[in-house]
Amino acid sequence: MNTVISSAPTEAAETTLSPMAAKHSVGGHAILLSVTVLLSAFLLFVVEPLFAKLILPWFGGSAAVWSTCLVFFQCALLLGYFYADITSRLLRPVQQSFLHIALLLMSLFFLPIAPDLSWRSHDGGDPAWHILRLLTASIGLPFVLLSATGPLVQMWYARRNSGAEPYHLFALSNFASMLALLGFPILIEPHIASHQQALWWSALFAIFVVLCSAAAWYARRGSVPELASHGISAAPAAVPSAREKLLWLAFSACGSMLLLSITNHLLENIAPVPLLWVLPLALYLLTFTIAFSRRRLHSRWPMVRLLVVALGVIGYAVYEPEFAISMQFGVPVLCIGLFVCCLFCHGELALRRPAARYLTLFYVMISLGGALGAIFVGVVAPHLFTSIYEFPLTLVFVAALAMVALWHEGWLPRTFWTAATVALVVILVREVRTEQKDTILRVRNFYAPLSVKQRNNSRAAPYRAFYHGRIEHGAQFVYPPSSLLPTTYYAPDSGVGLALTHCCANAKRIGLIGLGAGTLAAYGKAGDYFRFYEINPLVVSIANNFFSYLRDSAAQIEVVLGDARLSLQNEPPQQFDVLAVDAFSGDAIPVHLLTREAVAIYLRHLKPDGVLAIHTSNKYLYLSPVVRLLADDVGYETRWITSSTDKQRLVATSNWVLVTRNERFLRDIDPVAYHRPIQVPAHLRLWTDDSNNLFQILRPVSAVESILR
C-alpha cells in the first residue's frame, strides 16, 4: 500500500459515508484532535514547573534541581515519541487504539499527583539520579502519555485525512505549551496554592484521559475514502538519508543544549527565580511554533543574519561578563539570543521535515536529540567541567552547525561560518583561562561550581576568596592576626556580628545555616558551641582545607551535612542563643528556608530570648519584607541592619534582618547599629510552603549600579 500517511496497515472494511456526512465527521474529529493536543500540551508544561517547585525544598533549593527535571522531561518526551512511532508502525489502528486507551486508564492511578514524602531522604551524594527516580515514580506514565499525544494525534489526523500534512498541530501544541509556561509564574503561582494546583492539574488530566480515549477510539477506523482526493499524493515518499537523520539529531540537540546552558547561566549569574525557569523554555517552544506553523513565518536568510548578530552579542557577553550582568540587560540579551539561535536550529528542522509517512520517526529523532542535549548539560557537564563551560561550548556547536547547513551555498558562507566557529572557540579558551586566573581550586558538583582564588589587597596583604559561580561567599587573610578577623558580610557591625557579640554575656550556643568559608566561627570563644548546617559536601571540604576559621576558633565546632531545614526538623530542640540563616545559592536564599513552616522550626530551636538572624543581601530580590511578614506572624520584633564596605578589611556591604523578642538585646544594639524600617508592599502575602512567589519581590537593578553586594 503506497501512501504517505503511515506504514501501519489499516482496516479492510470502512463504513461508507456520504460526502457531506464524511466532511462533518472529519470536521468534528479535527476539533476533537485539536482540543486534545491543546489540553495535553498545557498539562505537560504546567506540571513541569509545578512538580519542580514541589520537590525543590527537598534538595536544598538548588538551581540544579530544575536542570535535572529538564533532563527527565526531555527523556520522557523521547519515550513518548518512541512509543508513538513504534505503535504507529507495528500495530494496526485497532490494536493501537485499545493499547493507548488501556494505558490512559492506568495513568489515572497516579492521581492526584504529589511527591511521596519517603523520597525526601537520599544518601547525601549527588541527588540527580534520586530526582530522576522520584519523577519517574510520581508522574512517569502520565508524562509519557502526554508527550506521546502530539505525534499520535498528528498521525491520526494524517491517517484520517489521507496523508494531509499535520505539522500545524505541532505548532499548535508548542503554542499551548508556551502559554502554560508563561501563565504559571504570572497567573497560576501567585494565586493558587501548590497543593490546589496539583488537584486542579489532576482533574484536568482526568478530562484529558476522556478526550484522548475518544480520539483514540475514532482513530481505529483509518481514513475516510470520500476525502482521499483532497489529500496529498499517494506516491511513495523518499526515505530520509542517514545524513538527514543526523542533522535532525544535531539541530535538536543543539537547541536543547542552548536551553539548558543559558538557563543555568541565568540562574547562577542573574537570579534563581521561577520566572527564569519558564521564560527560556517558553521561548524555546515559541521557536518550534514559528518554525512549524502552517503559514510560513520563518525565512532562512534573514534568520541567518539574525543568527550572526545573536552569536556576536552572546559571545561578547561570555567574553566580558559585566556586559550582561544586570537583570534589565542580561535577561533580555540572553533570552533574545536563545530565541534567535533556537529559531535557526528549529527552522532548519522544519526545512528538513519529511513526508507524513515518516512523521513519528522525525519526532523520535528530534526528541532523541533533545534528550541527549539535556543529558549532556544537566548530567554529564557537572562531572566533566569545573565551571559552566557548556555554555560557550554550545555557541561553538551552533556556529559549526550553521557552517554545515550552509556549506552548499558557496565559498563565502563557508569562509564566514568557519571563521565564526574559530572565533567562538577562542572565546571558549579565553573563558577557561580567565576562570583559572588566581585560582588555587576549582570544583563542581550537583549544587554548584565552586572556586577558591588567592589575591592581594591594595596593601599587598594576601587573602583567599571563596566563590559560588561568580558570587563571593567568604574571604580570609592568609596570615594571622588578620586571618582571625571576620570579613565580607560578617563584620562586627553587620547584623549577624551584632547578634553574636550582644546576644549573651556567657558561653553561647549558636546555630548557623550555611557554612561558606566558616567565617562566623571567628566569633567563637572558649566554652561556645557553634553548629553549622551545610548541604554541599564540597563546601565542607573547602572550609576545612583552604580556610582556617574552623580550626582556629576557640569554640567547639560541629558541622551537620544535609539540608538544614530537614536536619533541624529531625533534631530535638537545640536551645540556640542565635540562629543565623545564610544559605545562599548563587545570589538567593532558598525559598523553603523563608516560610511560616520554616520559621516555626527555627523558633523551636531558639531560646525564648534568642535571636534569629537572616541574611537578606541580594541584588535581585527584596527579601526584607518577606522576613518582616514572617516575624509579624509570630509576634516578634525586627531590625533591618545595614553595614558598609571596607575593601582594606575585605568587608562587603550587607543586609541582615534580626528577629527577636529580647528587649534587652534590642536596647543594646539600637544605639550602635544603623537600621531602618522595613516597608512591606501591599500585594505581598505571607510565605508558606504551599504559597510563595519570588516574582513578587523582584527589585529593579541598574546596569551600572551594584546594590548590596
Side-chain angles (χ1 to χ4, degrees), residues 490-504:
Y490 317 107
D493 61 343
S494 67
V496 70
L498 293 170
L500 292 174
T501 54
H502 290 81
C503 68
C504 41

Side-chain angles (χ1 to χ4, degrees), residues 392-407:
L393 180 63
T394 301
L395 300 181
V396 175
F397 190 20
V398 175
L401 270 180
M403 179 178 62
V404 172
L406 302 172
W407 190 262

Side-chain angles (χ1 to χ4, degrees), residues 638-649:
T638 59
R639 292 293 187 273
W640 184 16
I641 309 296
T642 300
S643 59
S644 57
T645 299
D646 185 341
K647 292 184 179 180
Q648 294 299 326
R649 296 189 298 124

Side-chain angles (χ1 to χ4, degrees), residues 6-76:
S6 173
S7 58
T10 58
E11 295 299 301
E14 289 290 342
T15 303
T16 302
L17 300 174
S18 67
M20 184 62 70
K23 288 181 180 179
H24 283 302
S25 173
V26 171
H29 188 245
I31 293 174
L32 174 62
L33 294 181
S34 297
V35 173
T36 302
V37 163
L38 280 169
L39 184 56
S40 68
F42 180 83
L43 291 173
L44 191 66
F45 285 91
V46 164
V47 77
E48 293 187 11
L50 168 60
F51 217 83
K53 186 176 180 181
L54 288 174
I55 67 173
L56 188 65
W58 298 1
F59 304 96
S62 170
V65 172
W66 175 244
S67 298
T68 307
C69 288
L70 282 178
V71 172
F72 168 81
F73 299 145
Q74 291 280 24
C75 292

